[in-house]
Amino acid sequence: CFQISCQGATSITTFAVFLCDKIAPALRQAVYERTALAIARDVKGKIPDFSGNRSSLEVCILRYLAQEENFENFKEYLNYPADFLRSYIKTRIETYCLGKNRRLEKFLDDSLMHCYESIQSAVFKSTNIVKDRKDRNDKISLWLDEFCSALGEVLSLPRTELKGIEHQEITDIEFLNNAMTEALTPLKDHLKEEFASADMNSFETQPHTILAEQFAGCWQQCPFCGAVCTNIMQGHDGDHQLVFHRPQVLTGYKWHKTDNLVIDICSSSVASDCLFRIGEDTWIPYKRYRDAGSPYSNWNIPPDPSMQAYWKWFVYHFRTELEEHYNGKFHGKGEIPALWQITKQEALDELEK
């Protein structure tokens, strides 16, 4: 009799250990997935940059760029606005999670505790349902059905992966409860140990990717000045448009057959008698810019002479770098007006409005 119960206990323990080995990778994945979402949610609530919409985040990015005063960063932002937004979010999240507070570890521990308690409660629930079923001999198969379905919300443990252990002759279902609790503990401890030195590379889906999706939208850039369409829908109906266009020097425009960089903005050019060139020798009046076909024809650029102080400050402040980068000069038709000599603070103050 003793031998039988001993065998019973051993097979239950073996079963529990086998099952926990199957749970381990699924638990790890569930913890990281849950943590990525938790971090994105937390950051959106706690870091002011991310609490609004894309245009308010844009203001934060412009403020950051002005504070850094690094021309290379500006170039990155002007050429690849979507990538820059992603890397800005990524940097902010890394600082938030890996700074001296090591928030990442706490996020992971919280998610681990949540998932671990859910597994324990699934064990308990399945045991309660199955233990008194006198009508079934395949109690363990039934227990596994219940267990996998109770876990479904928290982590994905495919029932098919457990075919190998469903025919175990285990009758003492209540003893299984204790065996599972014992086998789960080292699993939890092992993960806690890993989390102590975790970094952002451990995530399959990065928190910054989740957050960046919330600031998605149209990323089409004005073919004249490179400013980004402000529509919040990707592939939206109707024309691309935006509130403030920028000096066309930001995309390297020069006056024909000169080295004079163009400081005009497209929204004032469309009210002028100027022409622009596409291809080798096709000239089109700005007033009829839509005749140039795509991408010009997909934009709505109403005449408007107003330009943000920010870009006047930028052009004046980085005039040397811009001349070098675009191999042109701010003279002749590209002379920078004296009124553009504004302070960074003035530029930022206007931005905040």
Side-chain angles (χ1 to χ4, degrees):
C1 172
F2 171 72
Q3 201 181 354
I4 293 170
S5 70
C6 199
Q7 224 172 351
T10 314
S11 64
I12 290 176
T13 307
T14 311
F15 172 86
V17 168
F18 179 89
L19 183 54
C20 284
D21 282 349
K22 287 284 182 202
I23 290 171
L27 172 61
R28 186 180 183 280
Q29 191 184 348
V31 168
Y32 276 106
E33 278 172 11
R34 186 184 166 82
T35 302
L37 287 166
I39 290 172
R41 208 170 31 241
D42 198 60
V43 160
K44 199 163 165 53
K46 300 239 176 80
I47 297 183
D49 291 22
F50 306 127
S51 60
N53 56 16
R54 194 171 90 186
S55 53
S56 61
L57 174 54
E58 191 76 16
V59 170
C60 299
I61 288 177
L62 290 176
R63 191 193 317 124
Y64 159 80
L65 284 166
Q67 281 157 353
E68 294 287 304
E69 271 188 46
N70 177 330
F71 185 65
E72 291 305 311
N73 285 352
F74 269 105
K75 262 180 13 193
E76 199 64 30
Y77 165 78
L78 293 167
N79 293 328
Y80 310 105
D83 292 346
F84 193 89
L85 176 121
R86 267 194 295 276
S87 77
Y88 180 79
I89 294 176
K90 182 177 187 220
T91 308
R92 295 301 304 267
I93 286 185
E94 281 175 359
T95 309
Y96 185 74
C97 290
L98 303 175
K100 55 181 188 300
N101 296 330
R102 279 291 299 170
R103 285 191 185 94
L104 176 59
E105 198 182 332
K106 188 180 175 334
F107 275 117
L108 286 164
D109 285 346
D110 288 350
S111 295
L112 176 61
M113 278 322 290
H114 171 84
C115 296
Y116 175 73
E117 281 163 12
S118 304
I119 298 172
Q120 280 200 303
S121 114
V123 169
F124 189 70
K125 197 171 148 195
S126 317
T127 305
N128 262 352
I129 292 173
V130 175
K131 66 175 198 245
D132 300 325
R133 292 287 295 267
K134 302 277 188 281
D135 59 326
R136 295 284 288 261
N137 291 333
D138 58 341
K139 277 191 179 171
I140 212 67
S141 175
L142 189 62
W143 187 91
L144 285 168
D145 291 343
E146 293 293 342
F147 181 66
C148 287
S149 106
L151 269 192
E153 297 285 297
V154 186
L155 54 109
S156 96
L157 185 66
R159 174 69 177 85
T160 46
E161 281 188 17
L162 308 174
K163 288 261 178 258
I165 52 169
E166 63 181 23
H167 304 301
Q168 292 282 339
E169 287 293 318
I170 294 175
T171 47
D172 188 350
I173 289 288
E174 290 189 62
F175 183 71
L176 176 55
N177 213 17
N178 307 340
M180 280 299 289
T181 305
E182 252 172 61
L184 278 167
T185 307
L187 182 59
K188 180 184 73 173
D189 296 344
H190 175 70
L191 279 172
K192 260 186 95 71
E193 231 166 86
E194 177 191 319
F195 297 158
S197 58
D199 60 22
M200 303 313 276
N201 297 326
S202 317
F203 290 96
E204 211 170 300
T205 304
Q206 290 279 348
H208 76 264
T209 309
I210 296 171
L211 189 57
E213 275 164 15
Q214 300 177 26
F215 294 101
C218 182
W219 285 106
Q220 289 299 312
Q221 292 178 263
C222 169
F224 296 114
C225 72
V228 174
C229 170
T230 47
N231 198 301
I232 55 170
M233 297 289 292
Q234 219 166 358
H236 58 85
D237 294 337
D239 292 330
H240 301 299
Q241 55 190 356
L242 48 98
V243 184
F244 291 111
H245 285 267
R246 303 167 180 171
Q248 287 171 259
V249 59
L250 300 190
T251 50
Y253 267 74
K254 289 184 200 132
W255 290 98
H256 186 52
K257 292 196 168 160
T258 74
D259 62 357
N260 305 355
L261 294 162
V262 178
I263 61 168
D264 306 39
I265 48 173
C266 10
S267 50
S268 58
S269 296
V270 295
S272 72
D273 293 324
C274 294
L275 311 166
F276 66 97
R277 188 175 63 158
I278 52 170
E280 281 308 299
D281 50 8
T282 310
W283 288 91
I284 302 215
Y286 268 101
K287 282 181 176 145
R288 299 214 319 272
Y289 67 90
R290 285 178 185 270
D291 296 353
S294 179
Y296 303 93
S297 52
N298 309 328
W299 278 82
N300 174 26
I301 308 174
D304 177 8
S306 52
M307 188 197 305
Q308 284 171 299
Y310 187 90
W311 295 110
K312 295 175 183 174
W313 166 79
F314 171 75
V315 169
Y316 188 80
H317 184 78
F318 286 108
R319 55 195 182 282
T320 317
E321 289 86 346
L322 287 163
E323 286 183 335
E324 202 173 295
H325 181 53
Y326 289 119
N327 198 14
K329 288 280 179 220
F330 286 114
H331 61 193
K333 280 187 158 184
E335 187 78 44
I336 299 175
L339 285 172
W340 287 26
Q341 289 187 49
I342 51 179
T343 66
K344 178 160 69 176
Q345 198 49 54
E346 286 171 316
L348 291 174
D349 289 346
E350 190 205 74
L351 207 56
E352 302 299 336
K353 290 174 193 160

